[in-house]
Amino acid sequence: MDRSAADMTDVEARSLGHVLRDGLAELNAAQAARCLIVVAALLLVLVTLDPFPDLRNPDVATVVGGRMALNYVAFGLLAAVAVLFVAAADAPALKSLVTPLHLGLVGWMLINIAFSESRGVSMQRFALAASVTSLAVVLPLLPPTQRSFNLCLGGAALVLLILCYLGVVLAPQYSIHTALDITEPQLAGDWRGSFGHKNVASPVMTILVYVGIYLSAVGSFVMGPAIALLAGVFLIFTGGKTSSVLCLAIYALASLVYVTPSLWLKRVICFAPLIVMNLLTVGSVLSPALGSATRLLRVDPTFTGRSDIWEFALAAVAEKPIIGHGYAAFWDDVTERETAKGSEWAVTAAHSHNSYLDLAITIGLPGLLLVVLIFVLAPLRNFQAVQAHNRSNALGKLFLTIWLFGLYFGTTETFLLERQNPVWFMFAMAVAGLHFLARFQCVERTEP
C-alpha cells in the first residue's frame, strides 16, 4: 500500500466529488465491487441498521427478534461475500491466518461455548462475532489500491460524521443524551450522534481522528483534515473522558514507537504504561498496597467508582478460572448471583468495564492468554516487520495507533471479542492489517 504524498496532491486539491468520481472511475467492475463491500461493511458497523435509538423509550433495551435476525443475516452474507472475493485473489494471505495460535483460540472458543452456562446464547452471539470479525480481518485485503482504500475509509467516515452532525442539528432528542433518557439521565447534554451511547461514540470519534491524520499524511489535503476536525470537535462534545484523554496521548505514544528502532524498547514503551494502568485500576481492588497507593493520586483511579464492579468481576473469575462462564453469557442477569449481593453497582452493570477482566470471566484465563498472545503481543512484532521491509509505513502507523488505542481503551471499557462493537471491528481490522503488511502488501503498489 505504498503511496507518496506527491502522488495524491493534484487529486486532493480538487473537490471531494471529483476525488471520489476519479478514484472509482479507475476501477473495473470486480474492483469496484470489492470497494463497495468495504464501504458497506464500514457503514454497517459504524452507522448500523438501527441508528439514532430513542433512549426515552422504555423498550429501547428490549431485543427485537426480527431486528437482530436482520443483523445476523447482513453481517453473515457480507462476510461470506468478502471472504469469497479475497479467497479468489489473495489466497496466500488467507492461508497465513492458519496458525497454531489462531486455531487454538478458535478451538478454545468452541470448548468454552460447549461448557457455557447459557450454551444457546453463547452459540448465537459467537456466530455474529465470527461474521463481524471475519469481515474486519479481510477488509484490508479488499481494496485493490491504496487510493481506493483511502477513498473507502474516508468516504465511510464522512458519511458517519455528516449523519451525526445532522442528527445533532435536526433531531437532538435522538442524538444527544437527555434528562428524559430511561437510563443514565445524568448524561444529559453529551452528544452521542447516531450511536446508542456516548461511550460508543467517543472511541469511534477518536479512531476517526486517527483516520483523518493518516489521510492528511498521505496527501489527502481535503478529506483528511475535514475528518480529523469534525471527529475531534464531536469527540469533545461527547464528554467521553477516557477517549478524550487517550486521543492525543495514544497518538504521541504511537509516534514514539514509530521512531524507536528496537523491538524490545518498543515493547517497553507500549506495555509498561498499559500494565501500570491495569494495576492502578483492577489491581487496586486486588492488593491493599496498590489500593493505598492509588488513593494518594489526585485522579480517581477507579474511574467513577468502578471498584465495586471490579471486585464482583474478580469474584466471578475465581468461580470458574479455567473454563469461564461462557462467551457473552455472563452479564445478561447477574442479580441472582451470590457474589453480586450487597453490590448495587455490580448488578446494574452490563460489563466489567475492563476488556481483559471481562474475557477472564467469560472465556477463562486460557482464553484470555490466547487473546493476549494474538491481539496484544503479536501486532507489535508485525509492526516491527512492516518497518523492516519499509512497507506502507503511513498505513502501518494508522494500524499501530488504532491498535494501541484499543489496548488502553480496554482498561476501562469492554470491547474485545464483542460482536458488532465498532471499536472491536476497527481494532480487529488494525491487527489484521499489521499481520498482512508484515507478510504481504495489502493491495497493489501501483494504480491499475
Side-chain angles (χ1 to χ4, degrees):
M1 275 186 155
D2 296 329
R3 186 165 184 82
S4 64
D7 291 327
M8 296 187 68
T9 303
D10 61 328
V11 178
E12 294 299 337
R14 292 175 285 168
S15 69
L16 179 59
H18 283 98
V19 174
L20 294 172
R21 185 192 65 195
D22 293 350
L24 293 175
E26 294 177 348
L27 306 177
N28 59 36
Q31 292 170 338
R34 292 161 71 107
C35 289
L36 287 175
I37 294 171
V38 173
V39 174
L42 289 168
L43 292 181
L44 182 60
V45 170
L46 297 174
V47 178
T48 77
L49 296 174
D50 186 29
F52 300 105
D54 185 0
L55 302 186
R56 301 165 300 172
N57 186 346
D59 299 326
V60 68
T62 303
V63 176
V64 179
R67 191 165 59 204
M68 284 304 300
L70 187 58
N71 266 322
Y72 278 75
V73 171
F75 277 110
L77 287 177
L78 200 56
V81 172
V83 171
L84 287 175
F85 266 102
V86 171
D90 299 288
L94 285 184
K95 290 178 181 177
S96 73
L97 294 172
V98 183
T99 68
L101 273 180
H102 295 165
L103 293 176
L105 178 59
V106 173
W108 180 258
M109 293 298 295
L110 296 177
I111 294 171
N112 172 263
I113 291 170
F115 289 93
S116 171
E117 294 178 348
S118 301
R119 191 178 305 161
V121 170
S122 292
M123 289 177 62
Q124 179 181 339
R125 293 174 178 175
F126 180 70
L128 179 58
S131 296
V132 173
T133 305
S134 298
L135 195 55
V137 167
V138 300
L139 190 123
L141 299 172
L142 283 167
T145 65
Q146 183 171 1
R147 180 185 296 176
S148 58
F149 176 85
N150 295 346
L151 290 176
C152 290
L153 190 60
L158 282 175
V159 169
L160 173 66
L161 287 166
I162 290 170
L163 281 175
C164 287
Y165 274 98
L166 285 176
V168 169
V169 174
L170 301 179
Q173 68 273 25
Y174 296 104
S175 53
I176 300 177
H177 284 286
T178 73
L180 299 178
D181 289 357
I182 299 302
T183 60
E184 299 184 284
Q186 69 273 17
L187 300 180
D190 291 339
W191 290 11
R192 60 182 176 90
S194 61
F195 301 96
H197 199 282
K198 70 161 192 173
N199 285 347
V200 180
S202 56
V204 170
M205 292 301 158
T206 298
I207 291 173
L208 293 190
V209 169
Y210 301 148
V211 169
I213 294 172
Y214 157 71
L215 292 174
S216 301
V218 295
S220 182
F221 300 128
V222 175
M223 186 185 296
I227 291 172
L229 179 62
L230 290 172
V233 170
F234 204 98
L235 170 61
I236 293 171
F237 282 97
T238 63
K241 298 181 181 66
T242 301
S243 296
S244 298
V245 170
L246 288 178
C247 184
L248 294 181
I250 291 299
Y251 190 79
L253 192 66
S255 299
L256 181 58
V257 172
Y258 186 82
V259 299
T260 301
S262 166
L263 177 58
W264 279 105
L265 193 52
K266 279 182 168 74
R267 286 170 175 160
V268 172
I269 295 170
C270 289
F271 301 137
L274 182 65
I275 293 171
V276 170
M277 281 192 69
N278 277 294
L279 288 175
L280 292 179
T281 52
V282 176
S284 65
V285 302
L286 266 177
S287 165
L290 283 172
S292 300
T294 55
R295 283 190 288 272
L296 297 176
L297 300 175
R298 291 190 174 184
V299 297
D300 175 16
T302 66
F303 292 85
T304 352
R306 290 176 184 169
S307 56
D308 285 347
I309 195 170
W310 290 332
E311 289 178 359
F312 168 61
L314 287 167
V317 173
E319 289 177 350
K320 292 186 176 181
I322 303 301
I323 198 63
H325 292 267
Y327 172 73
F330 180 79
W331 294 98
D332 285 350
D333 185 10
V334 297
T335 57
E336 300 302 319
R337 294 185 183 273
E338 185 68 26
T339 49
K341 292 182 178 179
S343 177
E344 181 181 352
W345 206 145
V347 299
T348 59
H351 52 81
S352 68
H353 289 278
N354 183 286
S355 289
Y356 312 101
L357 180 56
D358 218 77
L359 289 178
I361 295 171
T362 56
I363 64 174
L365 295 177
L368 172 61
L369 176 61
L370 287 167
V371 169
V372 168
L373 291 174
I374 295 170
F375 292 102
V376 178
L377 299 181
L380 188 59
R381 186 170 61 249
N382 287 331
F383 179 72
Q384 181 78 355
V386 171
Q387 287 191 307
H389 293 94
N390 195 30
R391 287 176 174 162
S392 303
N393 280 334
L395 182 61
K397 186 178 180 182
L398 171 66
F399 290 152
L400 173 77
T401 309
I402 294 174
W403 167 73
L404 266 178
F405 171 75
L407 294 186
Y408 283 82
F409 181 71
T411 61
T412 57
E413 297 295 339
T414 299
F415 77 93
L416 287 173
L417 303 185
E418 191 181 334
R419 306 193 293 287
Q420 74 269 39
N421 186 308
V423 181
W424 164 245
F425 183 90
M426 300 301 287
F427 179 83
M429 181 196 74
V431 170
L434 290 172
H435 171 92
F436 294 131
L437 277 178
R439 293 158 179 82
F440 317 96
Q441 285 297 98
C442 289
V443 296
E444 301 167 7
R445 287 176 178 272
T446 58
E447 300 297 335

